[in-house]
Amino acid sequence: MSVVRELSPGWLLDHLSFINKISYELHQHHEPCCSKNEPTSSVHVDTLHMDSMSSFGASATCIASTTKPENDDGGNCEMFIQKYVFRSELFDVTKPYITSAIHKECQQSNEKEELVNDVKKEISISVNGKKRKRCVVFNQGELDAMEYHTKIRGLILDGSSQLIQEGLKSGFLHTLYEKRDKYSEPITLPLDTCNLSELCEMAKHLPSLNEMELQTLQLMEDDISVTEQDLFLRIVENNSSFTKMITLMGQKYLLPPKSSFLLSDISCMHPLLNCKKTYDVIVIDPPWQNKSVKRSNRYSYLSPLQIKQIPIPKLAAPNCLVVTWVTNRQKHLRFVKEELYPSWSVEVVAEWHWVKITSSGEFVFPLDSPHKKPYEGLILGRVQEKAALPLRNADVKELPIPDHKLIVSVPCTLHSHKPPLAGNIPAFLLFTAKGN
């Protein structure tokens, strides 16, 4: 189960378990076929560790097996099966991200929060051996952040503590002392070499194609003729019951059964709109602008105007649930609630938080750190129609959404991997897509 424990404050999730429940199996037929009279062989399994740098960016481990199912002619044809599972080391967060030295600095800096009611405080600093007094003034953004943290701190701490205690009781979480023998040496992982962001940027500069050329590409059972150019600027679907492997710029990607994707920049959304499908749940994780992104140049960010231009009204089904991941910057939270959702005719119905913990139940950052918090927010809203429209299925009742819930989990060490919202928590967060 992906949900380790459910309590009134929220859920303790096993993100790794959720990923591995997806059937990442590659099925390959091998010729020549065996004789009709040859008995079917038993399945044998070997564990293989793929070259993660050249295949899945340190994310997957492969288990291979061979079987001989009966074909249409009554004979036996050898089938090679590869099952991929996510590397558990990527969730081996045994210690908080922050070091002891930085933690001490954070503790010293916590005095800033005492200034919410007294904005100015005189402190002494030494300059060239002389002391002088300096007046520290917090800007409005810092004051808003302090006020917001004070408001939700109790909910975060009390709810997380309850779920963490249940995790320790169940054995899902372990104290550092219990895990010391199991993980005696630190695990070094290769750098994440995923180039999807570069591919999307490349797709944006490709010449425009007409609607015929932008038709949906359906991956066939044994289709090995798909080129990289075929995958850009169009919906690619895997309607089979098995995983498909595609290669882009020398890197291999797994496409789960009954799934699809669009490899494009948001400036080219018409292939998705041309599918004429609407969605009951839409989850958005925008690349928000912040100082860290500017300094690291890790990825491009979107301006508020660009985020507004995402065609949610055209993609949303009646009563669609829209979920937006937001950083802790108050400017972004206000933008989503006061500008973005109203522009999409979406009404804010709840604000939840993802709390990131270690495998021993500690916050990955000190809860009161003035720099980084161990939680992130997600804003939930419902699409509001001008005229009341019935739900597609009259037998399905719209479930009420709690004002506040916590999603507590050990985060993946790969950048910006969010916890699952589908298949493990209430039905109003199930991902479905239907055509009108």
Side-chain angles (χ1 to χ4, degrees), residues 336-338 341-342 346-351 379-382 384:
V336 172
K337 295 176 183 178
E338 300 172 9
Y341 276 14
V346 173
E347 179 186 10
V348 176
V349 295
E351 181 174 350
I379 308 300
L380 292 78
R382 287 276 188 199
Q384 301 299 298

Side-chain angles (χ1 to χ4, degrees), residues 13-14 101 113 125 248 312 351 371 387 412 436:
L13 298 188
D14 183 351
E113 299 213 8
I125 62 173
L248 289 167
I312 295 300
E351 181 174 350
H371 306 295
C412 179
N436 283 334

Side-chain angles (χ1 to χ4, degrees), residues 280-315:
D280 295 317
V281 177
I282 298 175
V283 179
I284 311 165
D285 186 11
W288 297 103
Q289 178 183 359
N290 58 54
K291 293 179 181 178
S292 176
V293 170
K294 283 185 175 180
R295 284 195 300 265
S296 64
N297 198 28
R298 181 179 291 176
Y299 57 83
S300 300
Y301 56 82
L302 294 179
S303 68
L305 179 60
Q306 289 173 310
I307 296 174
K308 271 187 178 182
Q309 292 173 345
I310 300 175
I312 295 300
K314 295 181 179 179
L315 297 171

Side-chain angles (χ1 to χ4, degrees), residues 22-77:
I22 301 172
S23 180
Y24 285 109
E25 288 188 355
L26 292 176
H27 288 218
Q28 297 176 325
H29 294 277
H30 287 268
E31 298 293 343
C33 288
C34 304
S35 166
K36 178 178 179 179
N37 297 324
E38 183 176 344
T40 302
S41 67
S42 59
V43 177
H44 62 276
V45 179
D46 299 308
T47 301
L48 305 177
H49 291 276
M50 302 292 290
D51 180 359
S52 57
M53 285 298 290
S54 62
S55 54
F56 297 101
S59 64
T61 298
C62 175
I63 299 173
S65 65
T66 304
T67 186
K68 295 182 180 179
E70 189 173 294
N71 61 22
D72 295 337
D73 298 327
N76 292 322
C77 186

